[in-house]
Amino acid sequence: MPAAGRTYWLTEPCRIRREDNSIRIERADGSPVHLPITDIRDLVTFDHVDLNTSVMSLLSRHGVTVHVLDHYGNHAGHFAPAGAMSSAAVVRRQVEITGDPEQRLPIARALVLATAENLRWALESDLLDPALETLRAALPDCHDTDELMGQEGNFRRTAWAVLDTRLPTWLRLNGRSRRPPTNAGNAFISYLNSFVYARVLTALRSTPLHPAIGFLHSDTDRRRNTLALDLAEPFKPLFAERLLRRAASQKHLKPGDFETEVGRAALSTDGRKKIAALVRDELATTVYHRTLKRQVSYEELIHLEALKLVRLCLEGTPYKPFRPWW
């Protein structure tokens, strides 16, 4: 994992300007924040941000990615450094694996199963056990990614219904909705899923992998970096559903943290700040890694997951998706 830099969350409208080898963040309240460029890994923006070519050049030179989330928490795009770390040997192998169904489908099946098992772990409910067994039985008979995604969707709908039983009425999903989310619970999930996607994309850009060559989503989403979508899947339950359940049980959220209209909802400015703090703390959480024999943060777990695919491409080491072991 890259040692230098950390993620900064820009939850309010601001201007970003260059000042020597630092950036200056100018906020509406008139209090600028100065950040040394070497202290930044990436920026996640929630609202209107004004950048000029001078600061973009500085960010690119130091490998800093800027992620843009729209008003409803969707990952609207990103500014990526010009110098990519992709390796021709690794990318060729990625293409070979994704182009061969006999190699690609086992990886896609493993991702779907790991995601479902992680969701069962996050919700801690035996109500999901029958649906999980149904999914396990169905996966071997899925012969393309569309069928796999269909089975995953069936399981997720069951899981979200179980999650609703743990939430207050005003936070319930009542079915998953996106672009835009229709209620507060869906807005929370959309923002957290976008966080995970952004974290995975940043991790992939520090490896020789190409983020646009995926195993599971490559035929279903041609507009985004599908490998980032793939690797985000097993981590989403760790951050999205699990943190929604925790925030609800601890009464950390209130209706005022969301802006709700008829048929659409988004986090308010205060809500964004709460969620950013929540995710920051969670990413810094550490667990003991049995193979590395040391403590690793949740942030580092995402980077280690990307390295598993590097080993798959360079050494042929079978890929086993992330599952919590604690």
Side-chain angles (χ1 to χ4, degrees), residues 81-92:
M85 294 183 64
S86 295
S87 155
V90 171
V91 172
R92 276 197 299 268

Side-chain angles (χ1 to χ4, degrees), residues 51 55-57 59-60 64-68 77-82 205:
L51 301 93
V55 74
M56 292 172 70
S57 175
L59 295 172
S60 179
V64 176
T65 301
V66 181
H67 298 281
V68 180
H78 65 280
F79 165 73
R205 292 197 175 280

Side-chain angles (χ1 to χ4, degrees), residues 16 32-33 51 57 76 111 139 142 169 173 182 200-201 206 233 267 272 279 282 286 293 303 306 315 320:
I16 303 178
V33 176
L51 301 93
S57 175
L111 281 166
L139 288 180
C142 294
T169 303
L173 303 182
T182 56
V200 170
L201 185 55
S206 67
E233 287 295 322
L267 284 170
R272 293 171 189 171
V279 175
E282 199 69 11
T286 61
K293 300 188 185 304
H303 183 73
E315 304 167 5
K320 297 180 180 179

Side-chain angles (χ1 to χ4, degrees), residues 26-92:
E26 302 171 353
R27 299 179 293 187
D29 62 7
S31 58
V33 176
H34 295 81
L35 301 174
I37 191 64
T38 53
D39 191 44
I40 308 170
R41 180 186 301 124
D42 55 1
L43 302 170
V44 180
T45 69
F46 293 78
D47 215 317
H48 301 293
V49 174
D50 179 356
L51 301 93
N52 60 21
T53 55
S54 177
V55 74
M56 292 172 70
S57 175
L58 182 66
L59 295 172
S60 179
R61 190 183 317 141
H62 288 268
V64 176
T65 301
V66 181
H67 298 281
V68 180
L69 273 59
D70 69 16
H71 182 68
Y72 297 105
N74 302 304
H75 191 276
H78 65 280
F79 165 73
M85 294 183 64
S86 295
S87 155
V90 171
V91 172
R92 276 197 299 268

Side-chain angles (χ1 to χ4, degrees), residues 4-201:
R6 36 186 180 160
T7 298
Y8 286 89
W9 316 83
L10 308 181
T11 58
E12 297 182 13
C14 61
R15 295 175 62 193
I16 303 178
R17 292 294 181 262
R18 178 176 178 174
E19 197 168 275
D20 297 324
N21 282 321
S22 299
I23 68 169
R24 184 179 69 252
I25 300 174
E26 302 171 353
R27 299 179 293 187
D29 62 7
S31 58
V33 176
H34 295 81
L35 301 174
I37 191 64
T38 53
D39 191 44
I40 308 170
R41 180 186 301 124
D42 55 1
L43 302 170
V44 180
T45 69
F46 293 78
D47 215 317
H48 301 293
V49 174
D50 179 356
L51 301 93
N52 60 21
T53 55
S54 177
V55 74
M56 292 172 70
S57 175
L58 182 66
L59 295 172
S60 179
R61 190 183 317 141
H62 288 268
V64 176
T65 301
V66 181
H67 298 281
V68 180
L69 273 59
D70 69 16
H71 182 68
Y72 297 105
N74 302 304
H75 191 276
H78 65 280
F79 165 73
M85 294 183 64
S86 295
S87 155
V90 171
V91 172
R92 276 197 299 268
R93 185 64 184 133
Q94 269 187 272
V95 173
E96 289 173 2
I97 295 172
T98 57
D100 180 0
E102 291 187 3
Q103 297 184 76
R104 173 186 169 194
L105 284 176
I107 296 172
R109 290 190 188 101
L111 281 166
V112 170
L113 182 57
T115 300
E117 291 176 347
N118 293 354
L119 192 47
R120 163 66 176 84
W121 171 86
L123 298 185
E124 299 182 85
S125 174
D126 55 12
L127 294 175
L128 279 178
D129 291 347
L132 189 55
E133 288 306 313
T134 298
L135 177 66
R136 286 196 184 104
L139 288 180
D141 295 326
C142 294
H143 301 297
D144 58 44
T145 54
D146 286 340
E147 293 180 7
L148 287 170
M149 298 288 282
Q151 291 294 335
E152 181 191 32
N154 291 338
F155 179 83
R156 280 190 178 275
R157 280 187 286 275
T158 302
W160 289 325
V162 170
L163 174 61
D164 275 353
T165 65
R166 309 286 186 88
L167 301 175
T169 303
W170 70 274
L171 261 183
R172 290 176 185 166
L173 303 182
N174 296 317
R176 185 74 175 99
S177 58
R178 310 167 178 82
R179 301 182 183 277
T182 56
N183 53 39
N186 274 289
F188 184 100
I189 294 290
S190 288
Y191 273 96
L192 268 293
N193 284 350
S194 293
F195 282 145
V196 175
Y197 174 80
R199 304 303 331 117
V200 170
L201 185 55

